Amino acid sequence: MARENRIVLKNYGKIDPESIDDYISAGGYKAAGKALKWQPVEIIDEIVKSKLRGRGGAGFSTGLKKRFTHEAMHESGKKYLVCNADEGEPGTFKDRIIMENDPHRLIEGMIIAGYAIGAERAYIYIRGEYYKSVEMLQKAIDDARARGFLGSNIFGSSFLFDMEIRLGAGSYLCGEELTLIESLEGKRGYPRIKPPFPAEKGLDGLPTLVNNVETLSTIPTIVEKGAKWYTRLGTENSPGTKIFTISGDVNNPGFYEIELGVTLRELIYEFGGGMKKGKKLQSVLIGGAAGTFVDETVLDTPMGFDSLKEKGAVLGSGAVMVLGDDKSLPEVTKSILEFFKHESCGKCVPCRVGTTQLVNMINEYITNGKKKDDLLNQMVAEADFMAKTSLCPLGQSPILPLRSLQRYFADTF
Amino acid sequence: METSEILNKFSPDHKNMLGILHALQDNNPNNYLNEEDIGAIARYLNTTLSHVYGVATYYTMFSLKPRGKYIIRACNSPVCNMIGSVSIIEELKKVLKIEVGETTDDRMFTLELTECLGQCDIAPVMMINKEIYGNLDAEKIKTIIENLKNK
């Protein structure tokens, strides 16, 4: 039977998250102390070797992202580190769990990342509705500063580093890294044209590393135990652990940190406690609204970035939404499409018009029962056009669930 | 607190725009940003009124019209929706006798919808001011609203 392997959540429930002493007693801030004795490139090499991939959804190599930011130059010599804590992907709440229950771990990960890329200043961009996360992190930052873990001469080195919290105010799109930077700069959350990527030109035009909360919170462990140890966890292409958030028609919805390679069957029937009230499994939505539907043929596929891709699915943020046979797929799809319509910022016309068109199409289907195959194909064509002509991941997202419905549920939809 | 007092807590940096908007809105007993607030921010950050209006109207947490003492944010994103948020929202409308986006006549409650609140393991969920309420049903809603009314 598969078991949890808590690395990022190692301290969950074992320490008082408001006590820096508790965190230190549990071995906290040792990894930062160790890292600051290394050369920045040594840290980056270790993270590249760990094959850690971004835990926010996109799955880009964390080590490479750091290397690009480390190597980027600006005449001012300044760089920024930004922690993306704008968790908003439906079905996802892993970052909240980390921030509320072990905020110092995130701060420690950020100290290491900041030192590795050569940043003196960092921002944590948290969504405005996460009041508790803000409260816990603010106290942790104040305490860390009082102990000399933030500020100047950290761990007796010449390294100078500090961080501040910035609040979002209700926009899904601001979870996309370039849009997040626009928002941090005090603007409307509109996406930017890329390239340039943030590593080259980010916040205030300076090289900026944007990393997700879970990603940054993994770094202390990689520094502490080494890349070799870390790559022994999980699968070859997707090493390490991932916090999965299970919701929907299961008996025990919740969060579980498990090594990648775990199967959906284990997630649903072991961790999730099986289907609710004897419901039958109909489908699973993996990765949130910008995710993919799969059926029971994918139950035994190891969860990893590439293994899921082969099945036309994405790991995304690790959200696992389980749908029983009493749920209507068109209704769930409608909810997803309405979500995208609401969150589309309107900058790119194909996304602004397309997200509305998709909602109209699904409504027409639900009320008039339009010929099935026809509808799904039309929607996929519409979403495909949007994906090709939109600037940011929002316009590129509706195609994901729609194409997966075409692959797995063309008959029943 | 005076507007100027709040502004002075922040450095006049555009990176503080959202923080200032939050702070001024939270300071208003009717939970909104009025014209004077927008003007004061524009002057403080040395930018145009249209810039500040543009930002204030983009983000769903900001309001340019007066709201109630309690802001109810009902989650209607896919997980909550699948588990029954539609009937929860209907119940809220019935109990409060208002539509989504409206405020009760006694200025006690404003009903809004929100994107995923990241509480999907206790769906369906709503947030009232800073408090989260999960595993909602019609009965619970009546009790919660009743308790707040009597507070």
Side-chain angles (χ1 to χ4, degrees), chain A residues 114-254:
Chain A
Y115 174 72
I117 61 164
E120 288 181 359
R121 180 147 283 280
Y123 292 99
I124 307 175
Y125 183 93
I126 309 185
R127 59 180 298 191
E129 298 92 341
Y130 272 12
Y131 294 103
K132 174 102 177 159
S133 297
V134 172
E135 197 185 299
M136 299 304 274
L137 262 170
Q138 188 58 58
K139 178 169 193 323
I141 291 171
D142 295 341
D143 291 348
R145 196 179 290 129
R147 294 291 175 97
F149 296 137
L150 294 173
S152 50
N153 301 111
I154 300 172
F155 294 101
S157 71
S158 59
F159 181 50
L160 177 93
F161 185 70
D162 214 330
M163 60 180 73
E164 281 176 56
I165 292 173
R166 286 291 181 275
L167 290 184
S171 161
Y172 168 72
L173 197 44
C174 290
E176 189 272 324
E177 58 182 11
L178 280 160
T179 313
L180 187 155
I181 288 170
E182 284 283 297
S183 180
L184 257 181
E185 289 178 354
K187 301 177 200 155
R188 289 167 75 94
Y190 283 163
R192 288 183 183 173
I193 294 171
K194 56 185 170 189
F197 288 92
E200 194 187 331
K201 207 172 171 211
L203 186 59
D204 293 343
L206 298 173
T208 304
L209 173 70
V210 186
N211 271 172
N212 169 263
V213 172
E214 188 184 358
T215 312
L216 286 162
S217 300
T218 307
I219 289 173
T221 304
I222 294 174
V223 167
E224 183 196 340
K225 303 203 167 172
K228 218 176 195 173
W229 179 89
Y230 187 75
T231 49
R232 281 206 291 266
L233 309 174
T235 68
E236 201 188 332
N237 288 322
S238 303
T241 59
K242 176 86 194 75
I243 305 174
F244 291 94
T245 48
I246 308 179
S247 61
D249 292 324
V250 290
N251 287 316
N252 306 323

Side-chain angles (χ1 to χ4, degrees), chain B residues 7-27:
Chain B
L7 290 172
N8 286 326
K9 287 186 186 169
F10 297 86
S11 64
D13 175 353
H14 280 209
K15 285 197 280 296
N16 288 326
M17 172 80 84
L18 269 62
I20 295 173
L21 286 164
H22 273 297
L24 289 183
Q25 177 167 280
D26 292 347
N27 185 55

Side-chain angles (χ1 to χ4, degrees), chain B residues 6-148:
Chain B
I6 294 173
L7 290 172
N8 286 326
K9 287 186 186 169
F10 297 86
S11 64
D13 175 353
H14 280 209
K15 285 197 280 296
N16 288 326
M17 172 80 84
L18 269 62
I20 295 173
L21 286 164
H22 273 297
L24 289 183
Q25 177 167 280
D26 292 347
N27 185 55
N28 186 309
N30 294 317
N31 276 311
Y32 81 116
L33 294 153
N34 59 31
E35 267 181 52
E36 289 85 66
D37 294 330
I38 302 288
I41 297 173
R43 282 190 300 279
Y44 190 69
L45 294 179
N46 195 20
T47 185
T48 59
L49 275 177
S50 64
H51 179 192
V52 184
Y53 264 113
V55 175
T57 51
Y58 179 86
Y59 297 92
T60 54
M61 287 182 81
F62 299 133
S63 175
L64 294 180
K65 53 179 195 191
R67 292 187 289 185
K69 182 177 169 197
Y70 296 107
I71 296 168
I72 304 176
R73 298 191 167 100
C75 179
N76 193 31
S77 68
V79 179
C80 283
N81 186 281
M82 185 180 102
I83 303 187
S85 63
V86 174
S87 61
I88 297 298
I89 294 160
E90 286 309 314
E91 185 63 26
L92 281 165
K93 287 193 214 168
K94 211 172 88 189
V95 172
L96 299 167
K97 299 185 185 72
I98 51 171
E99 291 297 310
V100 171
E102 292 180 351
T103 299
T104 53
D105 289 338
D106 60 2
R107 283 280 162 84
M108 278 286 276
F109 300 99
T110 298
L111 179 60
E112 295 182 354
L113 298 184
T114 176
E115 61 170 309
C116 180
L117 288 170
Q119 307 279 350
C120 319
D121 49 345
I122 51 167
V125 194
M126 67 176 175
M127 191 167 206
I128 304 184
N129 291 353
K130 294 184 176 183
E131 217 50 55
I132 291 280
Y133 298 86
N135 293 319
L136 294 172
D137 56 36
E139 269 321 295
K140 264 195 184 170
I141 285 181
K142 279 193 202 102
T143 319
I144 294 165
I145 300 296
E146 215 41 56
N147 286 345
L148 288 176

